[in-house]
Amino acid sequence: MDCVDAFALSEFWKSVLGYVDVAADPNEAGDEECPILDPSTGHTLLFIEVPEANAGKNRIHLDIRPRHQSRDEEVQRLKGLGARVLTDRRDEHGLGQGWVTMADPEGNEFCVLRSEPERTGTA
C-alpha cells in the first residue's frame, strides 16, 4: 500500500487486523517500507512511502468482518484507533443489515461488515 508514513499506517493496520511485525525485520519509526503479517496464515501487507499524494479513489478497498465482536463494536474500536466514519449504511438493506464505510488515518477507505454470527443469525 502506497502511503505517506509507512510506520504509522502499518501500526494502524496491525491493530485493525491483528497482524504482527515480521520477526526478522521489525518496523520502526522512519522506515520507508513496513511489512506486517497475519501470524496464522503468513499473509503479508507491505506499506511503502511514496512522494506523491493519493490523487483519487482507492484502487484497493478492504472489507473488514469482525471475528470476535459485533460490527458496531468494531466500528467503535476502529474509531478509537484513529479511523473515521465516512458513510453509515447499517440500515440500507433492512434494520442492522448494511455496513459502515470508514477511512484509515491517511484517508484510505474500507468497510466494516457484520460479523459472521450477526450475518447468520447466531449472535
Side-chain angles (χ1 to χ4, degrees):
M1 296 181 77
D2 290 350
C3 56
V4 173
D5 185 337
F7 177 72
L9 204 57
S10 72
E11 290 295 301
F12 172 82
W13 282 102
K14 267 193 332 193
S15 295
V16 170
L17 299 171
Y19 280 35
V20 298
D21 285 339
V22 175
D25 185 21
N27 298 329
E28 297 180 5
D31 287 351
E32 294 179 359
E33 294 186 3
C34 294
I36 61 172
L37 66 92
D38 182 323
S40 300
T41 66
H43 177 261
T44 302
L45 290 176
L46 176 61
F47 299 85
I48 301 174
E49 291 183 7
V50 296
E52 61 274 3
N54 185 350
K57 186 170 170 55
N58 297 358
R59 295 201 178 249
I60 293 178
H61 178 101
L62 299 178
D63 284 344
I64 307 296
R65 186 177 304 279
R67 294 181 187 168
H68 306 291
Q69 57 192 359
S70 72
R71 176 202 52 216
D72 296 347
E73 292 168 327
E74 183 71 354
V75 167
Q76 290 305 117
R77 184 181 81 86
L78 297 174
K79 285 169 62 176
L81 293 173
R84 67 184 191 284
V85 173
L86 298 177
T87 309
D88 188 335
R89 297 187 173 175
R90 282 181 258 208
D91 295 329
E92 188 163 302
H93 298 287
L95 186 61
Q97 298 295 311
W99 62 93
V100 177
T101 303
M102 302 186 81
D104 71 16
E106 289 199 11
N108 300 301
E109 294 181 18
F110 62 98
C111 288
V112 181
L113 310 176
R114 293 180 301 153
S115 67
E116 191 63 24
E118 287 175 299
R119 193 181 72 72
T120 60
T122 59

